[in-house]
Amino acid sequence: MAYIQISKANYKHNIDLLCKRVGGKDKLMVVLKDNAYGHGLKVMAELAASFGIKKSAVKNIDEAIQINNLFEETLILADHPPLSKQDDNISFAVHSIEGLKKFPPKSSIHLGTDTGMHRNGIQYEELENAFEIIVKNDLVLKGVFTHHKSADDLNCEVFWQAQNYNKFVQKAKELVEKHNLKMPNFHSCNSAAVLRKQSKFKDDFARCGIATYGYTHVDKSFLTQNDQENFGLKPVMSLWAEKLGSRNLKIGDRVGYGGIYEIKSPQIVSTYDIGYGDGFFRYDGLGDLSIDDGKILGRLSMDSFSLSGDKPKVCLFRDATEIAKYFNTITYEVMTKLSPYIRKEIV
Ligand SMILES: *Cc1c(COP(=O)(O)O)cnc(C)c1O
């Protein structure tokens, strides 16, 4: 059976590296949304908690209730207001005034602010109104945050957005005092923003996903002298497939759907148990896609692919970067698409 191997040591290494940048374990919220970027929600939540991490973020309520017992707080990033109040340690990112009005009393929320990405969050002019709703509806304001749109890119947008966010922070602090509320946490940085920042980290915590899994798309020119290649991050996941069967093929035999790969010398060809039904990309067999253990012969099927040789198991990748490049996408997508049904093995 195909499986995803999780390197506990590499996960710990990345988390330690990020904690060092932000100033300690209490300042890192691990982002475990979308099945922990394909790594397995429960597996990664348990590891993170065992390392002493106290905050996590997930996509929706379904994910939150699977892991919230492991953390002091679990923040839901992309769900709709719930019909009933959730556990105290589950909080919700609020994306609009319209949404804010729908939360049941006593719900814990983090107010999203739109500092320039124009995807989610309330506008500066809406802050006063938001606080009035929070007070009137008896909501618990745990955080005020924003999200960067271009922290990966080699330009100044991240600083422009940070300045905008500062204005929200100042105003929010005034409103907290005016309404006699408990001071919420302020947070704005994802992995890229943490990695490219040279100055001291000032927020209450950072929300890191991709870097905890060993990747970044931050422009390499942000590497400082102290940083190693890839900021010293190490990929956590490797993807393995096991052999379903082998056959001896002769010159002229053609492999797989459409028969587009023709055998040029007699050889053993084996079939392995991962396909696009498992969330790997559908390779059309026309290019020259090499996985770690060889060149895929012909098209990748729904549940299998073929390789020359007869190894009992083969590795598709130990580092998702090349696969991402080949399919013109980012490492986030390569990993997130992997089926949650693929078995996880921690080493
Ligand atoms: C996904 C997400 C993150 C994590 O981003 P990475 O680039 O993976 O570190 C942080 N904040 C929000 C709001 C997100 O949606």
Side-chain angles (χ1 to χ4, degrees):
M1 281 256 282
Y3 62 100
I4 286 171
Q5 202 174 69
I6 300 292
S7 164
K8 181 177 171 178
N10 287 3
Y11 190 42
K12 173 124 193 335
H13 167 88
N14 300 331
I15 284 187
D16 285 348
L17 187 151
L18 291 163
C19 286
K20 213 163 148 194
R21 281 194 176 247
V22 298
K25 281 179 188 167
D26 293 336
K27 298 190 119 193
L28 184 68
M29 172 180 268
V30 289
V31 179
L32 300 169
K33 67 189 180 191
D34 296 273
N35 195 32
Y37 293 39
H39 293 65
L41 175 60
K42 280 201 153 168
V43 173
M44 301 312 278
E46 277 164 13
L47 286 176
S50 78
F51 303 154
I53 297 295
K54 300 193 177 71
K55 292 187 175 66
S56 63
V58 293
K59 182 196 192 90
N60 53 28
I61 298 178
D62 268 11
E63 287 194 336
I65 57 184
Q66 290 183 57
I67 60 155
N68 74 312
N69 61 322
L70 295 166
F71 298 97
E72 282 176 8
E73 182 174 9
T74 297
L75 171 62
I76 293 173
L77 293 172
D79 208 344
H80 301 273
L83 296 175
S84 59
K85 186 199 162 289
Q86 303 295 308
D87 287 356
D88 284 339
N89 73 346
I90 292 181
S91 44
F92 285 80
V94 174
H95 304 301
S96 66
I97 292 285
E98 189 193 352
L100 179 62
K101 290 179 180 162
K102 295 184 183 150
F103 283 90
K106 310 275 186 221
S107 295
S108 296
I109 57 151
H110 287 237
L111 197 58
T113 61
D114 182 0
T115 55
M117 185 168 182
H118 305 317
R119 179 179 73 171
N120 282 321
I122 63 160
Q123 309 280 310
Y124 186 79
E125 298 70 33
E126 296 175 321
L127 259 178
E128 290 195 18
N129 186 18
F131 271 76
E132 275 157 25
I133 296 166
I134 289 167
V135 172
K136 183 165 139 264
N137 294 0
D138 197 14
L139 305 176
V140 182
L141 179 66
K142 287 214 174 145
V144 175
F145 76 100
T146 195
H147 191 53
H148 284 290
K149 66 181 170 121
S150 334
D152 302 12
D153 305 329
L154 185 58
N155 60 36
C156 306
E157 300 249 23
V158 76
F159 302 110
W160 167 75
Q161 248 189 295
Q163 269 179 8
N164 288 346
Y165 179 57
N166 267 337
K167 287 187 214 147
F168 278 87
V169 172
Q170 293 319 318
K171 181 82 180 173
K173 285 184 175 166
E174 283 172 32
L175 290 164
V176 164
E177 280 175 16
K178 177 178 163 194
H179 291 285
N180 247 327
L181 301 174
K182 192 164 169 272
M183 196 54 78
N185 281 313
F186 292 93
H187 50 109
S188 62
C189 293
N190 64 348
S191 300
V194 167
L195 291 172
R196 70 177 283 179
K197 257 204 173 103
Q198 313 292 343
S199 54
K200 193 166 169 340
F201 182 80
K202 294 204 194 75
D203 285 351
D204 290 311
F205 61 83
R207 306 177 308 266
C208 293
I210 197 76
T212 66
Y213 306 108
Y215 298 90
T216 173
H217 289 266
V218 171
D219 196 289
K220 294 285 180 280
S221 52
F222 288 114
L223 286 167
T224 67
Q225 276 184 335
N226 299 328
D227 293 323
Q228 299 152 15
E229 175 77 12
N230 201 26
F231 295 86
L233 298 167
K234 297 180 180 174
V236 169
M237 161 194 291
S238 55
L239 178 63
W240 295 80
E242 293 190 325
K243 192 173 82 169
L244 290 166
S246 304
R247 67 221 66 254
N248 283 304
L249 298 182
K250 51 188 192 308
I251 295 173
D253 285 344
R254 293 183 299 152
V255 179
Y257 282 115
I260 54 173
Y261 182 80
E262 192 173 312
I263 297 289
K264 300 184 184 68
S265 60
Q267 59 190 282
I268 289 189
V269 168
S270 299
T271 307
Y272 294 91
D273 62 353
I274 279 188
Y276 62 85
D278 300 293
F280 198 76
F281 290 88
R282 180 182 170 278
Y283 169 56
D284 63 9
L286 298 173
D288 55 354
L289 177 62
S290 278
I291 57 169
D292 278 17
D293 271 306
K295 184 173 158 357
I296 293 184
L297 307 183
R299 281 183 204 158
L300 181 114
S301 305
M302 191 182 290
D303 298 308
S304 65
F305 65 89
S306 298
L307 279 189
S308 188
D310 63 351
K311 287 187 185 166
K313 60 179 185 181
V314 293
C315 184
L316 283 95
F317 64 81
R318 290 173 179 80
D319 179 331
T321 309
E322 289 306 313
I323 303 282
K325 265 191 212 146
Y326 188 90
F327 289 101
N328 231 329
T329 183
I330 51 178
T331 53
Y332 294 74
E333 192 187 5
V334 175
M335 300 186 291
T336 305
K337 277 166 67 83
L338 293 174
S339 165
Y341 299 117
I342 302 177
R343 182 168 62 86
K344 311 298 183 301
E345 181 184 294
I346 303 175
V347 291

